[in-house]
């Protein structure tokens, strides 16, 4: 009896231990009977569960933090994410449904011939036409349902064949839409057949040169400027240029103005420093400014299907309201720089002259007063001669 009681208590202890171990790791059973450990739902760090570390966030992006204790993952948003999502939703250019025009002309002529034959068969062919074609006369006994159906079918085929004919031009593309949905683009030239149900928009895809009017910008110091640029561009993706933006030419103009504001705000209009040397990068460095403008505008215009080859500044000048003051300032700076160079040259020449006179023994030992007098006279002579 004591041995049985001991075995029962031992079994009871084992069961209690198993229950206690299970209670330390509770689980939730969902409708699919999948066991999910509760403690994993409240892990916020990837290292606690052995997951792969999160990819670093791109520069300029904003991280929306997750709520502690919920297992919610971080959401990343940035200035380029909205534009990227909009570009992804815009369909890319693809070939549209188009057929050869000569085939449509043949179908239209065949349909017309079928209609004429049907009218002759039922006896409705005009007399002159029948005589000209050498057809025997036939008596009109009325048209049945089948005759009317065949006549309407032939007429519909002929109208569809002739109504879908269009002419493709060199340097132009046709963007096709059906009930507002993009169906493709056609770049074929010559006689082309398109479905009459498709809405067509003609887009110019030739290379274009746009010379802007004077655009207002400001340099790094806030000095207002007027800049004229030459932009070489073309439409590369007709679908994005037509359906992605309302006006691709206006979109390009806006990107050019934004690029000018970004590039010119980082450079001074003139590099006349304290020494008046005029060295350093300025907005008048056409090569460097043009390369920077081309890169920025091309990167941002590509989302609208526009390919930008070059953006070069042609003329940079001060705004009319500050032009007079800035010219006077520039001339004063140039004059000060010239005076400083002249003075430096004169002082170097006087020093060299005094040293040579002393070394060659042309003058004896000079006291401070005599040396100052000699230096003064030589300086006046050099500057006066200049």
């Amino acid at each position: 009896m004591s041995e049985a009681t001991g075995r029962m208590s031992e079994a009871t202890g084992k069961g209690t231990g198993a229950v206690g171990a299970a209670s330390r790791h509770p689980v939730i059973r969902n409708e699919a009977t999948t066991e999910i450990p509760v403690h994993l739902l409240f892990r916020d760090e990837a290292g606690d569960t052995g997951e792969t570390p999160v990819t670093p966030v791109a520069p300029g992006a904003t991280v929306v933090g997750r709520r502690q204790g919920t297992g919610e993952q971080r959401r990343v948003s940035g200035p380029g994410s909205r534009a990227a999502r909009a570009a992804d939703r815009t369909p890319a250019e693809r070939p549209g449904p188009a057929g050869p025009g000569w085939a449509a002309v043949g179908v239209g002529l065949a349909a017309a011939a079928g209609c004429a034959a049907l009218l002759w068969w039922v006896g409705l062919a005009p007399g002159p036409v029948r005589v000209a074609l050498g057809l025997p006369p036939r008596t009109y006994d009325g048209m049945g349902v089948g005759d009317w159906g065949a006549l309407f079918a032939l007429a519909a085929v002929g109208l569809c064949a002739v109504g879908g004919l269009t002419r493709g031009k060199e340097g132009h593309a046709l963007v096709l839409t059906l009930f507002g949905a993009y169906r493709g683009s056609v770049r074929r030239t010559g006689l082309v057949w398109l479905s009459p149900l498709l809405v067509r928009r003609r887009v110019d895809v030739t290379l274009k040169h746009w010379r802007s009017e004077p655009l207002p910008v400001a340099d790094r110091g806030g000095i207002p400027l007027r800049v004229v640029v030459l932009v070489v561009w073309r439409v590369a993706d007709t679908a994005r240029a037509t359906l992605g933006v309302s006006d691709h030419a206006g979109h390009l103009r806006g990107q050019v103005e934004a690029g000018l504001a970004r590039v010119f705000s980082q450079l001074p209009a003139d590099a006349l420093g304290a020494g008046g040397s005029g060295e350093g990068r300025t907005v008048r460095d056409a090569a460097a400014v043009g390369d920077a403008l081309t890169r920025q505008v091309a990167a941002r215009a590509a989302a609208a299907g526009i390919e930008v080859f070059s953006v070069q500044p042609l003329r940079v000048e001060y705004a009319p309201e500050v032009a007079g003051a800035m010219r006077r300032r520039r001339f004063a700076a140039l004059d000060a720089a010239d005076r400083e160079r002249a003075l430096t040259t004169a002082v170097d020449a006087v020093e060299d002259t005094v040293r040579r006179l002393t070394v060659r023994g042309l003058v004896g030992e000079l006291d401070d007063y005599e040396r100052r007098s000699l230096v003064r006279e030589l300086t006046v002579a050099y500057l006066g001669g200049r």
Side-chain angles (χ1 to χ4, degrees):
M1 185 66 178
S2 59
E3 293 179 359
T5 304
R7 286 195 297 269
M8 290 177 64
S9 60
E10 182 179 356
T12 304
K14 291 182 179 180
T16 306
V19 173
S23 63
R24 287 195 297 271
H25 297 284
V27 298
I28 296 177
R29 293 179 178 270
N30 56 16
E31 295 179 359
T33 67
T34 301
E35 296 184 355
I36 304 175
V38 175
H39 67 282
L40 293 182
L41 295 178
F42 300 94
R43 294 286 182 88
D44 291 322
E45 299 297 333
D48 296 341
T49 58
E51 297 176 357
T52 304
V54 181
T55 304
V57 180
T62 303
V63 178
V64 180
R66 55 191 173 186
R67 293 171 293 179
Q68 296 293 331
T70 61
E72 181 182 356
Q73 298 299 320
R74 298 189 304 172
R75 293 172 292 161
V76 180
S77 61
S81 58
R82 181 176 301 176
R85 290 193 298 269
D88 292 340
R89 288 194 297 268
T90 304
E93 179 179 341
R94 63 176 183 270
W102 59 267
V105 172
V107 171
L109 294 177
C115 290
L118 180 60
L119 292 177
W120 170 78
W121 180 260
V122 299
L124 291 178
V129 176
R130 180 177 53 79
V131 173
L133 297 177
L135 299 175
R138 292 184 63 88
T139 304
Y140 176 70
D141 296 331
M143 295 182 61
V145 177
D147 297 334
W148 283 109
L151 182 62
F152 286 147
L154 291 173
V157 171
L159 291 176
C160 182
V162 176
L165 291 176
T166 187
R167 182 169 61 94
K169 297 181 181 180
E170 288 285 353
H172 291 77
L174 293 173
V175 179
L176 308 178
T177 57
L178 179 63
F179 304 115
Y182 177 64
R183 288 294 178 263
S185 300
V186 177
R187 292 178 179 256
R188 299 175 58 176
T189 59
L191 193 61
V192 183
W193 182 86
L194 304 173
S195 174
L197 299 178
L198 296 174
V199 178
R200 311 162 192 177
R201 300 182 186 178
R202 193 175 295 274
V203 181
D204 188 355
V205 295
T206 57
L207 191 67
K208 299 180 182 63
H209 295 74
W210 171 49
R211 181 188 178 99
S212 71
E213 68 279 3
L215 300 175
V217 295
D219 73 340
R220 186 173 61 188
I223 299 175
L225 304 173
R226 294 292 185 271
V227 184
V228 177
V229 296
L230 178 66
V231 184
V232 182
W233 65 284
R234 71 175 181 182
V235 174
D237 192 315
T238 57
R240 293 186 184 273
T242 306
L243 306 176
V245 292
S246 58
D247 180 13
H248 59 271
H251 176 78
L252 177 62
R253 176 189 172 88
Q255 295 301 327
V256 170
E257 294 179 353
L260 284 173
R262 284 189 293 269
V263 173
F264 276 65
S265 63
Q266 301 173 4
L267 299 173
D270 295 294
L272 296 176
S277 61
E279 298 177 355
R281 285 189 56 188
T282 66
V283 297
R284 304 180 190 279
D285 189 353
V289 172
D291 293 342
L293 281 174
T294 302
R295 288 193 301 269
Q296 294 200 21
V297 175
R300 287 165 174 79
I306 300 175
E307 183 178 7
V308 178
F309 296 94
S310 174
V311 182
Q312 296 296 329
L314 299 181
R315 187 173 72 250
V316 180
E317 58 188 13
Y318 294 110
E321 59 269 19
V322 298
M326 294 307 300
R327 289 193 185 95
R328 290 191 297 270
R329 174 185 174 185
R330 181 176 178 82
F331 291 153
L334 290 175
D335 185 65
D338 185 60
R339 290 175 180 273
E340 184 177 355
R341 285 193 297 268
L343 181 59
T344 302
T345 303
V347 171
D348 293 340
V350 169
E351 180 183 5
D352 184 64
T353 301
V354 173
R355 182 179 57 79
R356 289 186 179 186
L357 290 175
T358 304
V359 170
R360 295 183 181 182
L362 297 179
V363 295
E365 293 295 334
L366 301 175
D367 55 13
D368 293 341
Y369 177 77
E370 293 174 342
R371 183 178 295 275
R372 285 196 297 269
S373 299
L374 179 62
V375 169
R376 182 173 61 253
E377 293 173 359
L378 290 175
T379 303
V380 172
Y382 278 120
L383 293 178
R386 174 180 174 276

